[in-house]
Structure formats: structure tokens, C-alpha cells
């Protein structure tokens, strides 16, 4: 328990340092592990941009999260806005926001009827520090079986991992806001503007049990509804195609995401093994007094270097591949939601048609029914129109993002492999010359 | 040549820093033994020659022409005492070592004088074992000559000249002090190495003198050498070296270790490249021709190593009345061909040498693992092929089929015989009931194929280690195992048989008695080594676990990559953007290959790295067994001593009690036990010596093995990285083509 607390404290410290680093925008000045991950930071920023690559970098509303602070489970983000829009009181301001505030904003957007025809950018996933924390705990337990050096290295590795998670969290939140700000309609949303501008704590209530259940129930109803309305004949080929495509694609990408995650995780394990091997080789070389000593030292040294590269390979794969897939998995879910809303509107329209027929038959409330039918039709048409636009832009966005990430990933893979090769060649030559 | 045979044996003259007069003594002892006579002055006369070099100003121009490397070497601080470089030479185990110190050594005596071109000349043969003696010998007369003129009355020189028939030969030599050296340096390079070097300040008339040795050089020794089988030659070649080292004998106690180092290491550096084992000459040729110098040079190196002393001597003698010219020659060949009176250590070196060579004389490979029989009685049979040139085998190549228990049986036999004497008997791979059952059940899956391959490789390494061991190779059981067609079925190797159970009990009692023995270690070396071995064992085990987990994780990575590849392929098929779809399916292919790559890497993690560790964990067990054996012999000796003590007490009691009838019996007992004590003590000493030798040998083998395997492993890693680059580079344009 104590250990855990210690670790928590340690993480907080790192986060604080990260925060400082971010604030001063001078990563070099901070501790080694910050430096270690500072490049990672860059690549993450790239990635962030790559995910939201189609954002029209409209200078009228620029949002970023320059700073975040991790307190226990909560992460406090500082949301910084720079704008030329007159709807804001000041051109430059910062507000503190928590993850829950983001969720509130997302829910508010989803529930706004007017945005039914839009793909609402997926809410950022909840910060998950459990896995590194758990690992840290495990490491604390296994401390006795390791040499000091080994332990320190493992700890550093975990701290770096923690930091990476932290930074990733910041990035996904930033991306969420940036996508909103770049959207022509969503950027004008009142709630969004409040979110950005209100300089007090939004003090969004966490969902209580009833509400949680309510949303769960709503989801159930929605899925049931989806099944029901799936029977309705689609009137537009475009949407018919999109629907089948998205359904198929979402299940596939879900699978790919899970597998990519597994792959990167086992890659990390391999890199971690290198640490242990290097440490053991080192202690072996200490005991050795023969000609082998030098070889073992070099070998250990090599493994230490290799593990750094291997670790980078793993984290780059995660950033470029897993995160890409994850993001688009969520985005596709958002697109599917849009399709659902449209299908719902279609169903409503058909129902209103039926109601109108009925009313005509009964010659009762005809005008009312007509009105309702007209409304439904309008809504449906509006949804279809904006939906078509949104889906098309989504498609373009996806392709561009995939392209960028895949190129970057292959370049990184090649770079790392070349690094590895140089290390290996150097070591082989050293050994051979000896 | 009685003198020479007396000279080389053990008493390492403690003349590390011998004074010139001592050398003189030795030389006169030597009579005409040129190897010793000329060798000795070498390191001893350095100081005198140093001063001499200044005096021989007429040869100075040569130094200006010396090539840059020489200058480098010249600039090297060589401030050690005159004996130091030689010690360097002896101790330097590394391949570069043998030449460098030597050159150092050469630099000193004549730092800016005529020896410079010579050094040039010596630079090329650098790092060749065989060149060492040559350098020795070439150099040595040079310094002699150099030294001669200024100090004609220096002892060694005088002695040398005294040895030769013409004692007044000094005068001719003295008469042309600069000539012989310059000739040596200028003519030799130009003729032997066909490398015209610096300004020929040498007088051409010397060529005639030089012609003679030159001829000798190519004709005589060549014939000699090629006639002889390799081993002989090796011994011969080695003999001068060994002797030389004997003579200059560093005082240090560890002398017997260090030379071993040199020789084995050197042998290692030279031999492996010479795969063809046809004849010595071609072999050395092979080695040398790798270097920049052409054949002539290569030959010269070999020949010079044997004969250059004679050559040099002859030159001197030629300068003297040539009547005596032929005299030294027989002496050389005599001393060279009579390496028998070697010290114990020398014999050891040579066995070590032979053993290194054995690698090329005896190649063992195990191939074609084959399942024989069905069900639970099925077993794997392996084809054991031997290729050898050793005369102890009936033919050059032969093949037998052996099953796993035969290998175990061989180990049992060897270990019964040799462990008692403190030998480290390489252990075979362990029985694996799990693995074998899988094979027996006949599942043709990956893991059982891997198991069989792993075992095959382990058996091969095991057998190679056995035949690599000079003493074990001589064992008739080994020969039988390799040669005999119908091997009697090995018994008592079943893990669950009655004998196995007995063995288990034996082992238990052994370890129990081991705990009870409290040995007060007389030799710190053993104590330290044992601790080292134990610590190493622990570390290796830990490392093995780590590597195993690496293998596991990499396999996992491979599986996960495979899963991802399939998933991406599916994703690609659902993608509606054609270019992206194409890219995704390409990515799937890349990941597919990646899966393969990880799989292969996991296999090489396991084969190159984990197996090496497993081997050495087992071998360390054997090392400990040999330590235990030493302890047991010690215990036996102690017990015998106690017994003797008791018997003596009984005798005293009987004497006191005045019982003459039993007295005789007691006396007999005492003599019997006295004999036993001496016997056991001798046993203990012998076992201790063997263990020490074996451990040193083991360490050397280990270092080499590890290095080899590490390099192999790294190369496998390198290769997979290369593949990886290739795959991603092929993918990159696909990614870029997404529009």
C-alpha cells in the first residue's frame, strides 16, 4: 500500500515536472527521463496533428492544452484559447478543465438536436494510469529479485511509460477540442464557447448511479431501436452503402485495434527483457576474470542500447498504429451514430406518413399530421444532406490520416532498424577485432 | 646436441633480467645450439645494442626511408627495461600482441638505426604466430651485428664466435660492421618480399653472401617441412618458440599459464583461417596470402621461422671463413627435430596446440534425426558423421547411427573413468521426457520438430566438446562410439530404471558427504575459482531464465503480429478507398513477414543464446564435479593420514604394553598406510594439477565459445534487422501512394 502511495507520489512528481516542462516549453532543462521522452512528445504532437489532419487551421480560433496536472486520478488540463472571434470577450485566455468537463461537452453536443446531422467528434477516452501504476506496483514487489541497476532501469522505463500515457491523454483531449474548433458549425456552439471561456470551475457533476443506469438503458434502447429500424428500406444508395461499409469497417477496425495493442504490448515486453538481460550480463561480466569479461561488457552494453531502440519501436508503433486505429474506431462509432440518427429520422418520417394516411382515412387532424409529416421530412432531408457532407469529409480525413501515419511509421521503423543495425555492426566488429 | 636437450627442460632459468655476462654463460653452454644461442642474446642485449645503434651511424639513412607505421612504432614509448618487451611478448595473448611488443622490442635497440627497415619487414608478418620466431631470430643477429663493432668484446658475441670453429672470426665481422646488418635489411626485403624499399645504402657485394642462405631457405626447410605430418611440423615450429620462451623465461610463477595463452591464442588466430589441412605450407600460405604480401612472403615466413637463425648465422659465418658454414645447420635441424626433451609445460602447450588443430582434423556432425519404431518404444536415431585425418582412426570418413541413450552411455563411461582424475567431462543434454513423449506420440507439429532439432544441435555440440578434449579423444570408448557400427545398447541410462534410482541415491549420499567434508583449503586459487564458478553458475541460470522469457515474449510478439496481420488484411478488404485498401493489404503482408521474422529471431534467441547458456550451466556442473573430486581425494588422503596416526598410536601402545607378537602386525600396518598416504597425497596433487589445468582450459574454451556464439547471435539479429529494413522500405512507396 505504502509502495503504491509512493509510486503515486512519484508519478505525480513526474507529472509536475512534465507540467513544468510544458509550461516553460523547455524540455531539455528537465530530468533525464523528460529528455528521453521529449522526442516522444514531438512525435505525439505530430500524431495529434495527423489525426486531425484535415482541420482547416483557421486562425480565428486556436486551442491548445499547454499544461496539465495529474492529481491522483484526476487530470487537470489548462485549455488555452486564442481567438479573433468577436463572440469571445478576450482574444487570449486560459481555463482549467477536467476530463469530466470534456465528457459533459461531448454529451451536450450529442444531445443537441441541431447537430444530429453531424459527426460529433468522439469524446476523449478516460485517462488510464492503471496499467503503469499496476506495473510499478509489481515492480516494487519484485525489487528483491533484481539488481539495483536493473530496478532503476525498470523504474525509469515505467516512469517514461507513465509520462507517455500522460502526454497521450493530453493530446487526445487537445485533439477533441481542435476538431470542434475547426468545425464550421460546432465551433459556434454555445456550450463549446462556455467551455472555453468560463474561467471558473465548470463543476460538472459526475453522473450518479441513476444517470449511469439511465444512459445504459438509453444505449440498450438505441441498439434495440437500431435493430428495429434496420428493417426500413433505405431510400438513398449512398447511405445504404455507407451503412454496410461502416458496420463492417467498425467491427474490423475494432479487431485491428485490439490486436495492434496486443502486438505493441508484447513488443514492449521484448524491450523489457532486454533490460534484464543486459543487467544480468553486466553482473556476469563483473564476476568474470577471463578474456570474456570485455566481451560480456560489450554485449551487455549493446543490449542496453538495443532495448532503448526496441522500446522506441514499440512506442512508435503504438503511437502511429494503435492510436490511429483507436481514434478511427471511435470516429467511426460517431459516424455510425450519425447514421442511426438519420435512420431514426427516416423511420419517424415513414411513421408520420403512415399517420398522415391514417388521418386522411379518418379525416381527422389531417393538417396536424401533414405538418408533422412535413417536419419529419424536412428533418430527414436536412440530416441526409449534412450527413452526406460529413461522411464524405470523414472519408477524406480518414484516408489522409492513414496515409500520413503509415508513412511515418514505416519511416520510423526503417530509422530504428538502421539504428539497430549500426549498433549491432559496431558490436560485431568490436568483438571480432578483439 | 646433448646440451640443447639439457637446456630446454624445466628449470626455467630465472633470467628475466639477465645481465650480458649471464647470457654469455648460456651461450657457451649451448655450444652450437643456435636457437638458444642466438635467441638468448636477443632480449638481453638490447641495452647494449641501444647504445650501439647510435654508434652505427653509417646505417642511419635507412631510418629516414622507413615507412610511417614504423615511425608510429618508433614514437611509441618503449621505456621499459630491456627484458620487459620480451615479457610482453610472452604474455601478450591477443593476436596483435605477438607482433607489437616484438616490434617494440626491436625499436628499442636500434631506434633510429638500421633496424628500421627491418621493422617494416616485420610489420607485415605481424600477428602471425609463426612469424614470431622469425622476428626473434632475424632481429637478434641484427642487434648482434650492430652491437658488435662498437663493443667487440661483449660477452655473448664473443661466445657465439667462440662457438663457431673460427674464434678469430670476430675480426671479419668487425671489419664490416655495417654491412651485414644493412644487407640483412635491404637484401632480404627486396629479395624475399620482393618489395624494394628505401635507398639501398647496402653494399651489393653482400648479395653473394646472402645468396647462400637464401637458397637454403627455400629448398631445405621446405622439403623438410612438407615431408612431415602436420603435427610434427607444428611441434617443430613450436619448439623453438617454446624453447625461446623457456630460455628467456620470465620469472613469474604463472609462467606456465601465460605461454599457454600465447600459443593457444595464436593458434586460434592462425588456424581457423586455414581450413584446408593439406600441408603445413599450404596452410600457412593460406593464412599469409590473406595479407597484402604475396606468396613469397608467406613462404618466407614459414621458412624463416625455422631457419633464419641458421641463415643469419651463416651469413656471419660466411663473412668469416666459410669452412664452418655448414656446421650450424645440423645443429639447427637437430634442435628443431628434437623437441622431445620438453618440460611438462611444453608438452601441455603442444597438446593444447594439437587440440586446437584437432578441430580441423576431426569434424563431427550429427544429422538426419530419424524416428525409429512406434509408440512408446520409439526413439530418435541420429547420424553421426566423422571426418578426420587423425591416424588413430581407421578411415577418413565414417558414419554411424546412434540413439540418444548411446550418447548418455558414452557420457557415463567417460565420466566414470575421467571424473576420478579431475577431468571436466562435458555433459550431454538432459533427458526430456516431455519432449520425447511428444515425439513418440508422433505429433508432427512445430514444437516437436523444434525439440528434435534442438536436441540434435545439443548432441553435436556435446560430441564436439568431447573430441575437442585432448585426453577424452584418446579414450577408446570415444573412438568406439564414433567408429563402431553396432553399438551395444547402453544400459542404465533410463531415467526411471533401477540403476537410475541407484544413481540418484548415490548422488544424494555424495552431496551429503560433500557437506560434511570441511576442507581447509590450502590453495587460494581453488577457493577463488570455486567461488567464481558458483557465482557464475548463478548468474548464468538467471540469464538463462531471462533469455527464456525473451524467447517467450518474442514468440508472443510473433503470434500477435500474425494476428494483427490477418486483422489488417481484413480491414484492407473492407476499406472502400482503393489505394488505402491496397496499402492496408500490403501492410498486412509486411506484418506477415514480420511475424516470420520474429519467429526466426525467437528461434535464434533460443538456439544461439539460450542453448549456449544451458550448455554452460551443465558444463559448470561438471566443473564443480571436478572440484568435488579434488575434495574427495583430499578427504581420502586425510583419512589415510588419520588412519596412519591411529596405527602409530597402536604401535606405541603395543610397545608400551610389550606385546611383541602383535607388534610386527602393527608395523606392517604402518608401512602399508604410509604407502597409502604417499599414494593418496600424490593422487591429490595430481588431481589438483589436473583440475587446475582443466579449469584453465575450460575457461579458454568458454571465452572462445561465448565469443563465437555471441557473434553468431548478433549476426542473426543483424540479419533480421536488415530484413526488416527491406520490408519496410518496400512498403514505404505503397503508403505514399495512398491518395
Amino acid at each position: 500500500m505504502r509502495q503504491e502511495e509512493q509510486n503515486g507520489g512519484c508519478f505525480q512528481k513526474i507529472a509536475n515536472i512534465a507540467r513544468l516542462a510544458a509550461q516553460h516549453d523547455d524540455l531539455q532543462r528537465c530530468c533525464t527521463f523528460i529528455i528521453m521522452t521529449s522526442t516522444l512528445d514531438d512525435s505525439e504532437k505530430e500524431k495529434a496533428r495527423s489525426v486531425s489532419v484535415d482541420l482547416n487551421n483557421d486562425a480565428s480560433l486556436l486551442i491548445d492544452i499547454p499544461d496539465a496536472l495529474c492529481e491522483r486520478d484526476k487530470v487537470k488540463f489548462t485549455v488555452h484559447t486564442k481567438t479573433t472571434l468577436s463572440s469571445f470577450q478576450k482574444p487570449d485566455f486560459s481555463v482549467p478543465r477536467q476530463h469530466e468537463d470534456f465528457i459533459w461537452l461531448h454529451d451536450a453536443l450529442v444531445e443537441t438536436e441541431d447537430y444530429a446531422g453531424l459527426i460529433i467528434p468522439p469524446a476523449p477516452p478516460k485517462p488510464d494510469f492503471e496499467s503503469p501504476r499496476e506495473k510499478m506496483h509489481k515492480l516494487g514487489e519484485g525489487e528483491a529479485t533484481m539488481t539495483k541497476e536493473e530496478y532503476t532501469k525498470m523504474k525509469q522505463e515505467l516512469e517514461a511509460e507513465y509520462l507517455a500515457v500522460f502526454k497521450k491523454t493530453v493530446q487526445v483531449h487537445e485533439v477533441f477540442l481542435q476538431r470542434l474548433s475547426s468545425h464550421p458549425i460546432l465551433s459556434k456552439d454555445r456550450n463549446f464557447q462556455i467551455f472555453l471561456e468560463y474561467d471558473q470551475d465548470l463543476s460538472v457533476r459526475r453522473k450518479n448511479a441513476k444517470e449511469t443506469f439511465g444512459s445504459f438503458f438509453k444505449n440498450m434502447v438505441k441498439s434495440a431501436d437500431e435493430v428495429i429500424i434496420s428493417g426500413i428500406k433505405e431510400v438513398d444508395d449512398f447511405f445504404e452503402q455507407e451503412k454496410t461499409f461502416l458496420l463492417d469497417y467498425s467491427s474490423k477496425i475494432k479487431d485491428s485495434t485490439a490486436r495492434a495493442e496486443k502486438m505493441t504490448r508484447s513488443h514492449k515486453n521484448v524491450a523489457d527483457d532486454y533490460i534484464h538481460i543486459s543487467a544480468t550480463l553486466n553482473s556476469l561480466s563483473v564476476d568474470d576474470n577471463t578474456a570474456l569479461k570485455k566481451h560480456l561488457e560489450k554485449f551487455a552494453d549493446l543490449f542496453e542500447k538495443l532495448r532503448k531502440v526496441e522500446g522506441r519501436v514499440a512506442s512508435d508503433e503504438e503511437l502511429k498504429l494503435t492510436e490511429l486505429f483507436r481514434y478511427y474506431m471511435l470516429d467511426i462509432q460517431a459516424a455510425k451514430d450519425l447514421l442511426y440518427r438519420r435512420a431514426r429520422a427516416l423511420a419517424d418520417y415513414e411513421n408520420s406518413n403512415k399517420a398522415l394516411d391514417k388521418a386522411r382515412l379518418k379525416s381527422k387532424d389531417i393538417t396536424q399530421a401533414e405538418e408533422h409529416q412535413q417536419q419529419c421530412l424536412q428533418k430527414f432531408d436536412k440530416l441526409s444532406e449534412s450527413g452526406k457532407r460529413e461522411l464524405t469529409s470523414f472519408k477524406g480525413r480518414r484516408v489522409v490520416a492513414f496515409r500520413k501515419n503509415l508513412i511515418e511509421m514505416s519511416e520510423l521503423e526503417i530509422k530504428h532498424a538502421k539504428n539497430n543495425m549500426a549498433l549491432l555492426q559496431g558490436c560485431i566488429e568490436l568483438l571480432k577485432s578483439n | 646436441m646433448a646440451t640443447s636437450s639439457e637446456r630446454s627442460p624445466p628449470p626455467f632459468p630465472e633470467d628475466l633480467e639477465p645481465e650480458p655476462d649471464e647470457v654469455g654463460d648460456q651461450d657457451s653452454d649451448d655450444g652450437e645450439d643456435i636457437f638458444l644461442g642466438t635467441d638468448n642474446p636477443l632480449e638481453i642485449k638490447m641495452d647494449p645494442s641501444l647504445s650501439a645503434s647510435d654508434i652505427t651511424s653509417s646505417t642511419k639513412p635507412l631510418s629516414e626511408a622507413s615507412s610511417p607505421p614504423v615511425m608510429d612504432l618508433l614514437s611509441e614509448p618503449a621505456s621499459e627495461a630491456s627484458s620487459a618487451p620480451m615479457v610482453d611478448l610472452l604474455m601478450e595473448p591477443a593476436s596483435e600482441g605477438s607482433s607489437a611488443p616484438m616490434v617494440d622490442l626491436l625499436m628499442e635497440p636500434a631506434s633510429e638505426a638500421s633496424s628500421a627497415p627491418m621493422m617494416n619487414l616485420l610489420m607485415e608478418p605481424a600477428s602471425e604466430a609463426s612469424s614470431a620466431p622469425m622476428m626473434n631470430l632475424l632481429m637478434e643477429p641484427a642487434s648482434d651485428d650492430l652491437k658488435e663493432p662498437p663493443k667487440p668484446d661483449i660477452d655473448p658475441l664473443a661466445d657465439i664466435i667462440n662457438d663457431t670453429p673460427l674464434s678469430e672470426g670476430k675480426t671479419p665481422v668487425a671489419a664490416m660492421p655495417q654491412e651485414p646488418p644493412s644487407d640483412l635489411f635491404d637484401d632480404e626485403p627486396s629479395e624475399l618480399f620482393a618489395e624494394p624499399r628505401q635507398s639501398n645504402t647496402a653494399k651489393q657485394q653482400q648479395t653473394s653472401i646472402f645468396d647462400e642462405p637464401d637458397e637454403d631457405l627455400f629448398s631445405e626447410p621446405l622439403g623438410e617441412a612438407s615431408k612431415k605430418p602436420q603435427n610434427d611440423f607444428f611441434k617443430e615450429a613450436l619448439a623453438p618458440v617454446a624453447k625461446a620462451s623457456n630460455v628467456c623465461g620470465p620469472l613469474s610463477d604463472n609462467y606456465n599459464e601465460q605461454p599457454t595463452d600465447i600459443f593457444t591464442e595464436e593458434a586460434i588466430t592462425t588456424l581457423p583461417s586455414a581450413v584446408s589441412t593439406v600441408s603445413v605450407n599450404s596452410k600457412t600460405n593460406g593464412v599469409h596470402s590473406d595479407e597484402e604480401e604475396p606468396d613469397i612472403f608467406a613462404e618466407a615466413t614459414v621458412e624463416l621461422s625455422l631457419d633464419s637463425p641458421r641463415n643469419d648465422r651463416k651469413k656471419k659465418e660466411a663473412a668469416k671463413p666459410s669452412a664452418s658454414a655448414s656446421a650450424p645447420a645440423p645443429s639447427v635441424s637437430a634442435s628443431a627435430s628434437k623437441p622431445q626433451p620438453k618440460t611438462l609445460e611444453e608438452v601441455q602447450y603442444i597438446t593444447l596446440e594439437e587440440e586446437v588443430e584437432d578441430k580441423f582434423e576431426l569434424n563431427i556432425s550429427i544429422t538426419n534425426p530419424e524416428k525409429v519404431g512406434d509408440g512408446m518404444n520409439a526413439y530418435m536415431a541420429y547420424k553421426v558423421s566423422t571426418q578426420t585425418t587423425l591416424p588413430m582412426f581407421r578411415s577418413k570418413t565414417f558414419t554411424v547411427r546412434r540413439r540418444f541413450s548411446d550418447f548418455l552411455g558414452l557420457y557415463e563411461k567417460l565420466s566414470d573413468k575421467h571424473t576420478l582424475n579431475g577431468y571436466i567431462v562435458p555433459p550431454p543434454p538432459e533427458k526430456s521426457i516431455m519432449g520425447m513423449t511428444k515425439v513418440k506420440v508422433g505429433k508432427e507439429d512445430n514444437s516437436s520438430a523444434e525439440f528434435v532439432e534442438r536436441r540434435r544441435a545439443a548432441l553435436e555440440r556435446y560430441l564436439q566438446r568431447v573430441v575437442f578434449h585432448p585426453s577424452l579423444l584418446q579414450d577408446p570408448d570415444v573412438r568406439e562410439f564414433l567408429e563402431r557400427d553396432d553399438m551395444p545398447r547402453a544400459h542404465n541410462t533410463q531415467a526411471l530404471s533401477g540403476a537410475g534410482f541407484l544413481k540418484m541415491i548415490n548422488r544424494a549420499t555424495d552431496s551429503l558427504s560433500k557437506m560434511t567434508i570441511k576442507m581447509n583449503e590450502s590453495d587460494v586459487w581453488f577457493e577463488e575459482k570455486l567461488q567464481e564458478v558458483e557465482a557464475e553458475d548463478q548468474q548464468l541460470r538467471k540469464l538463462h531464465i531471462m533469455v527464456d522469457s525473451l524467447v517467450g515474449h518474442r514468440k508472443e510478439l510473433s503470434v500477435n503480429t500474425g494476428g494483427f496481420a490477418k486483422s489488417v488484411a481484413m480491414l484492407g478488404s473492407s476499406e472502400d478507398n482503393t489505394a488505402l485498401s491496397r496499402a492496408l493489404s500490403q501492410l498486412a503482408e509486411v506484418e506477415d513477414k514480420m511475424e516470420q521474422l520474429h519467429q526466426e529471431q525467437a528461434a535464434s534467441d533460443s538456439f544461439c543464446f539460450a542453448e549456449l547458456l544451458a550448455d554452460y550451466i551443465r558444463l559448470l556442473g561438471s566443473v564443480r564435479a571436478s572440484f568435488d573430486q579434488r575434495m574427495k581425494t583430499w578427504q581420502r588422503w586425510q583419512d589415510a593420514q588419520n588412519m596412519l596416526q591411529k596405527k602409530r598410536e597402536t604401535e606405541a601402545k603395543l610397545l608400551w604394553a610389550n606385546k611383541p607378537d602383535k607388534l610386527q602386525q602393527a608395523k606392517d600396518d604402518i608401512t602399508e598406510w604410509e604407502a597409502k598416504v604417499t599414494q593418496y597425497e600424490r593422487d591429490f596433487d595430481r588431481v589438483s594439477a589436473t583440475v587446475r589445468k582443466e579449469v584453465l582450459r575450460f575457461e579458454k574454451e568458454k571465452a572462445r565459445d561465448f565469443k563465437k556464439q555471441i557473434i553468431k547471435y548478433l549476426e542473426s539479429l543483424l540479419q533480421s534487422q536488415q530484413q526488416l529494413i527491406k520490408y519496410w522500405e518496400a512498403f514505404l512507396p505503397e503508403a505514399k501512394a495512398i491518395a
Side-chain angles (χ1 to χ4, degrees), chain B residues 491-504:
Chain B
H491 294 292
N492 307 338
T493 53
Q494 268 81 22
L496 298 173
S497 67
F501 188 63
L502 267 180
K503 243 186 282 165
M504 238 157 68

Side-chain angles (χ1 to χ4, degrees), chain A residues 7 10-22 27 30-42 44 68-70 75 127-129 131-133 136 155-171 268 315 318-319:
Chain A
N7 290 341
C10 159
F11 280 145
Q12 201 171 324
K13 206 174 71 201
I14 303 165
N16 275 328
I17 294 166
R19 175 173 180 241
L20 277 173
L27 296 171
C30 292
C31 315
T32 34
F33 51 86
I34 299 292
I35 290 167
M36 250 166 54
T37 48
S38 66
T39 39
L40 190 138
D41 187 40
D42 295 342
E44 252 170 320
L69 177 61
C70 182
V75 181
D128 178 23
F129 297 115
S131 115
R133 222 172 241 155
M136 192 60 130
K155 201 167 164 184
Q156 276 177 11
E157 195 63 28
L158 269 182
E159 283 167 1
E161 195 184 323
Y162 178 84
L163 203 63
V165 172
F166 181 79
K167 282 167 185 273
K168 211 166 65 189
T169 308
V170 172
Q171 295 299 339
K268 270 201 187 106
S315 68
E318 177 164 12
L319 283 175

Side-chain angles (χ1 to χ4, degrees), chain A residues 77-88:
Chain A
F77 304 93
T78 302
V79 179
H80 172 245
T81 313
K82 223 175 166 177
T83 182
T84 54
L85 295 179
S86 54
S87 53
F88 294 100

Side-chain angles (χ1 to χ4, degrees), chain A residues 51-322:
Chain A
V51 167
S52 51
V53 76
D54 72 323
L55 304 182
N56 48 349
N57 280 327
D58 186 2
S60 63
L61 185 60
L62 290 176
I63 301 169
D64 62 332
I65 301 179
D67 178 25
L69 177 61
C70 182
E71 276 173 3
R72 291 252 126 227
D73 279 345
K74 274 183 203 154
V75 181
K76 280 190 175 166
F77 304 93
T78 302
V79 179
H80 172 245
T81 313
K82 223 175 166 177
T83 182
T84 54
L85 295 179
S86 54
S87 53
F88 294 100
Q89 282 167 358
K90 281 183 276 180
D92 197 322
F93 45 88
S94 295
V95 288
R97 291 291 174 259
Q98 287 183 28
H99 173 71
E100 282 70 28
D101 301 336
F102 286 80
I103 300 299
W104 164 80
L105 178 60
H106 176 259
D107 289 349
L109 293 173
V110 168
E111 276 156 23
T112 310
E113 196 68 7
D114 289 347
Y115 305 145
L118 305 177
I119 296 176
I120 311 291
K126 193 172 163 27
D128 178 23
F129 297 115
E130 271 319 298
S131 115
R133 222 172 241 155
E134 201 178 300
K135 269 194 188 167
M136 192 60 130
H137 188 65
K138 243 194 226 162
L139 182 68
E141 279 170 353
E143 190 179 353
T145 62
M146 272 178 268
T147 60
K148 207 168 163 128
E149 189 193 4
E150 208 175 342
Y151 179 75
T152 324
K153 273 187 202 157
M154 285 302 282
K155 201 167 164 184
Q156 276 177 11
E157 195 63 28
L158 269 182
E159 283 167 1
E161 195 184 323
Y162 178 84
L163 203 63
V165 172
F166 181 79
K167 282 167 185 273
K168 211 166 65 189
T169 308
V170 172
Q171 295 299 339
V172 286
H173 285 79
E174 200 176 68
V175 165
F176 173 67
L177 295 181
Q178 282 169 346
R179 266 196 68 188
L180 288 180
S181 75
S182 67
H183 197 282
I185 300 168
L186 292 177
S187 65
K188 305 207 169 47
D189 180 68
R190 187 70 207 129
N191 281 329
F192 181 46
Q193 295 199 349
I194 288 171
F195 178 91
L196 291 178
E197 205 170 22
Y198 185 62
D199 61 353
Q200 304 292 306
D201 199 336
L202 278 178
S203 65
V204 180
R205 227 166 14 97
R206 273 173 180 246
K207 285 180 184 169
N208 60 30
K210 198 180 150 201
E211 277 170 323
T212 321
F213 182 74
S215 66
F216 175 72
F217 185 70
K218 223 164 83 186
N219 267 335
M220 288 278 292
V221 171
K222 190 184 135 200
S223 348
D225 202 29
E226 260 170 359
V227 176
I228 294 165
I229 59 178
S230 66
I232 296 169
K233 203 184 169 299
E234 182 57 71
V235 288
D236 192 330
D237 271 354
F238 174 81
F239 284 102
E240 183 67 43
Q241 272 175 16
E242 275 305 306
K243 200 173 107 187
T244 36
F245 166 69
L246 283 179
L247 276 177
D248 185 30
Y249 204 76
S250 99
S251 71
K252 297 273 168 61
I253 204 167
K254 218 177 248 171
D255 185 55
S256 295
T257 310
R259 286 185 187 276
E261 212 179 316
K262 246 181 165 176
M263 182 175 77
T264 43
R265 208 182 310 127
S266 41
H267 214 133
K268 270 201 187 106
N269 283 338
V270 169
D272 281 352
D273 284 334
Y274 279 13
I275 297 181
H276 293 299
I277 290 174
S278 163
T280 321
L281 278 171
N282 245 330
S283 41
L284 197 61
S285 79
V286 170
D287 291 337
D288 204 297
N289 291 319
T290 55
L292 199 55
K293 190 184 181 79
K294 274 184 194 154
H295 298 159
L296 287 176
E297 271 169 12
K298 269 175 210 127
F299 199 33
D301 197 41
L302 174 77
F303 260 104
E304 171 61 20
K305 286 175 188 153
L306 283 185
R307 74 104 179 165
K308 277 187 184 142
V309 180
E310 210 63 42
R312 289 293 305 276
V313 173
S315 68
D316 282 339
E317 268 176 12
E318 177 164 12
L319 283 175
K320 297 290 169 200
L321 212 59
T322 318

